[in-house]
Amino acid sequence: MTTTPQAAADGTVVSIHYTLRDDDGDVIDSSVDSEPLDYLHGAGNIVPGLEAAMEGKAVGAKFKVTVPPADGYGERGPDPKPVPRSAFPDDMELELGTQLFVRGPDGEPFPVWIAGVSDEDVMLDQNHPLAGATLHFEVEVLSVRAATKDELEHGHPHGPDGHGHH
Ligand code: ZN
């Protein structure tokens, strides 16, 4: 006999609606008017401060949690660096806030965000756009289920049809 998990724990796929606000109460991001967010608990799919607050939360729970930068998208690090626009393909759309991956000195790709675009340069920022921000989440737990073997191996949830992003 298997039991259906009723609360967020390692190895469960949790579906939530959330609203994220900044210190001024302005909404930064929200799932409420679109699809809920599904994540695999314990796999680092969501910021550490929110994942910790989710631990043990039951279906139907509604709560608020304030996450400091260190448990969110990190403190701000180095300032953005200019890269000549000519280093990018001509047909590439260079939009503010777009995430790119660049190869580091060790050959490993790491994320950067476009923080500014001028005629000559593109400013690339290693900081997540929300680095340094205190995150105010309002969360409702919609459902919890046991993750499948595939999901556990991949470290993220798959769609209801079983293949999601693949
Ligand atoms: Zn996968």
Side-chain angles (χ1 to χ4, degrees):
M1 195 182 113
T2 55
T3 53
T4 306
Q6 289 296 316
D10 285 358
T12 61
V13 172
V14 185
S15 184
I16 60 172
H17 265 315
Y18 70 94
T19 297
L20 170 58
R21 292 185 175 83
D22 63 15
D23 282 332
D24 298 325
D26 293 329
V27 174
I28 299 171
D29 191 15
S30 177
S31 70
V32 172
D33 290 326
S34 56
E35 293 293 303
L37 172 73
D38 290 353
Y39 78 96
L40 175 59
H41 193 86
N45 293 172
I46 57 177
V47 295
L50 180 57
E51 187 161 59
M54 283 298 305
E55 181 76 35
K57 288 287 192 297
V59 174
K62 291 182 185 180
F63 67 97
K64 291 182 180 181
V65 59
T66 296
V67 175
D71 295 324
Y73 292 99
E75 305 287 355
R76 287 197 69 84
D79 287 334
K81 289 188 180 59
V83 174
R85 207 176 165 132
S86 58
F88 296 87
D90 283 344
D91 59 354
M92 187 173 167
E93 271 194 62
L94 300 168
E95 257 181 73
L96 221 58
T98 299
Q99 186 185 34
L100 310 171
F101 284 87
V102 299
R103 208 165 285 284
D106 57 359
E108 288 294 311
F110 67 92
V112 295
W113 286 265
I114 296 178
V117 181
S118 73
D119 286 345
E120 294 83 32
D121 294 317
V122 178
M123 299 297 286
L124 293 184
D125 193 350
Q126 288 185 46
N127 299 289
H128 186 281
L130 290 175
T134 298
L135 311 171
H136 304 267
F137 286 101
E138 199 174 332
V139 178
E140 178 178 3
V141 183
L142 302 175
S143 68
V144 178
R145 63 170 171 83
T148 65
K149 188 167 159 283
D150 274 1
E151 289 173 325
L152 290 172
E153 278 173 8
H154 288 201
H156 54 228
H158 292 163
D161 53 2
H163 42 84
H165 63 106
H166 297 286

